Amino acid sequence: MLRVLAVMRRYVPLVSLVVFVAFIVAGLSLDEFRAVVVNAITICLSCIGIG
């Protein structure tokens, strides 16, 4: 049991990093960053009362 926990503690951060990088690459390849930036600008402008 302790050996399994040691292995999990070693590989969970690496697997998480790979998954997050895959999500970032998928978002960039689907051109989602533009939608995020447009929504962020709209929200910021509405917060300060311009948009």
Side-chain angles (χ1 to χ4, degrees), residues 15-44:
V15 171
S16 298
L17 180 65
V18 169
V19 169
F20 292 139
V21 168
F23 281 139
I24 289 171
V25 169
L28 290 175
S29 67
L30 293 173
D31 205 29
E32 287 295 318
F33 67 95
R34 292 187 194 277
V36 171
V37 169
V38 167
N39 287 335
I41 290 171
T42 303
I43 290 170
C44 287

Side-chain angles (χ1 to χ4, degrees), residues 1-10:
M1 182 69 176
L2 291 176
R3 183 170 171 86
V4 172
L5 290 175
V7 169
M8 284 179 57
R9 191 173 288 171
R10 182 176 175 189

